[in-house]
Amino acid sequence: MRGLYIDGSWRTNDTERRPVTDPGTGEVIDRAVEASVGDVRAAIAAARSAFDDGGWSYTDPARRAEVLRGLAAGLVRDRDEVARLETLDTGKTVAESHADIEDSVAVLRYYAEIGAGEAPGAIALPRPSVTSIVTREPVGVCALICPWNYPLLQLTWKLAPALVAGNTIVAKPSELTPLTTSKLFELLDELDLPAGVANLVLGAGQPVGHELVASPDVDLVSFTGGLVTGKMVMREAAVNVKRVALELGGKNPNIVFADADIDAAVDNALTAAFVHAGQVCSAGARLMVEAPLHDRFVDALVDRAAKIRLGNGFDDATQMGPVISAAHRDKVDGHVQRGVAEGATLALGGRPPDDDHLQGGFFYLPTVLVDCDDDLNVVREEIFGPVVTVERFATEDEVVRRANATIYGLAGAVWTADADRARAVARALRLGTVWINDYHPYLPHAEWGGFKQSGSGRELGRLGLEEYCETKHVYRNESPAPTGWFDG
Ligand code: NAD
């Protein structure tokens, strides 16, 4: 059973337990305490007093960095257990879960490194009796609200900069995936963190997430999730002018010119669209192929996508796991059927698999929709499943214009042998991340986030640390004197 972690100790309550379901089998594998509004308030109060008493925010940053290093070491020590839990939570393959752990460890170590080394900035002024120093201070109590697709990774992207900057936190994973977040708090519990610095609440968006967003005692909300929820969070946080960082959805163009290395581009188009069954905010779900290459490319893509082995994440032979839930599978299917009704041609998939051994889990076949136009809903909306739409284009200007004609702006790629064209297209795309002749890598030092309605603010990199800092200007006059302003 998974409990709440409030003010340095594990807690439970007498509300009904929420079942935790393994998407690979459909079986209930654990139960989680559902936080009450009172529990959330207790967690916020613990974080508030841990912040206000100054113990953590005045701690030497090097000591705070040690906590991140300790957490990274715990993840490395317990990696097999953490990978097992992440696969149980999300259905992704164990290899993917291990990759997420490696990435989480890298992010924890990165922020341990840069967070401990932030120096105040002073500038020389013409008047020698004045010093002007700009310092970074923690924002205060931070609510960290996470989605179900990368529960461990998304939390570490927030927790590492928040803690190293001296904030206190209340974390909330998705109600569908509490396991690795809970394990992360077990590891934190080993680290001699002052009580109240890091708190965990479990439960649904209403009322648990809502309470975090609405509370006047929370100074910042860092939210990763869907666009509709993100807008609601922004609206609710505005009531007390809370700071908000939003990492939302995407409909990411993967643009292939005819001169691209076709084998590499096809192979990467598969990973772009089907890794973690397409439940990736930056999934290359919108493939755009230059006309002379289009038919050859689609044939190769469909041929390879048809061979992707679906299965349980614990089976070594599995290449693609299930989607998160039966409800989500129905939603994905609804998008596909609507796309076909609107004129797209189904080239592959478009339904759950027939295989007997896949009937318990929430599987959906890799799906390729061709003959797609910009105005189809299936091209415009985030599907968040193993579905790729394919469009044909004729010119560089046209593909840039069409790729940008969306409310989203998270990530995308351009495939071409022409370095000048790659640079020009990368510059013209209104996206937070552009990969050239690659898809999906991200790096701890490179800021991640969206243009337009894909979000506001950045995670990772130095700006990912800035999100959790207030900037203060301290002006000191060592020769105070009357100003003379109102004389006479
Ligand atoms: P979601 O919006 O349904 O839920 C996200 C989190 O918000 C969950 O913890 C949920 O319980 C909570 N929540 C729901 N209602 C709330 C409310 N009123 N107030 C506060 N919290 C509330 O998203 P999801 O389905 O869990 O995740 C999938 C979405 O996340 C996709 O759209 C995906 O693109 C996006 N995502 C974005 C990134 C990124 O880096 N941009 C990364 C991962 C996922």
Side-chain angles (χ1 to χ4, degrees), residues 145-150 154 157 172-176 203-206 208-211 213 223-230 232-233 236 246-250 279-282 382 384 410 448-450 454 459:
I145 302 179
C146 297
W148 47 258
N149 61 335
Y150 285 89
Q154 295 295 340
W157 285 19
K172 190 197 99 56
S174 163
E175 57 275 32
L176 300 177
Q206 288 287 359
V208 180
H210 169 79
E211 188 60 30
V213 178
F223 170 87
T224 301
L227 175 58
V228 173
T229 324
M232 205 150 57
V233 165
E236 285 169 358
L246 300 173
E247 296 290 339
L248 309 176
Q279 302 164 115
V280 184
C281 51
S282 52
E382 183 187 49
F384 223 56
L410 187 58
W448 176 264
S454 284
E459 295 197 302

Side-chain angles (χ1 to χ4, degrees), residues 1 4 11-17 32-36 39:
M1 210 255 308
L4 317 174
R11 296 209 193 159
T12 178
N13 61 23
D14 50 15
T15 57
E16 203 176 319
R17 305 294 177 241
V33 171
E34 189 83 358
S36 65
D39 293 326

Side-chain angles (χ1 to χ4, degrees), residues 248-264:
L248 309 176
K251 187 72 184 189
N252 312 291
N254 186 13
I255 300 169
V256 185
F257 285 93
D259 64 352
D261 174 335
I262 181 167
D263 291 340

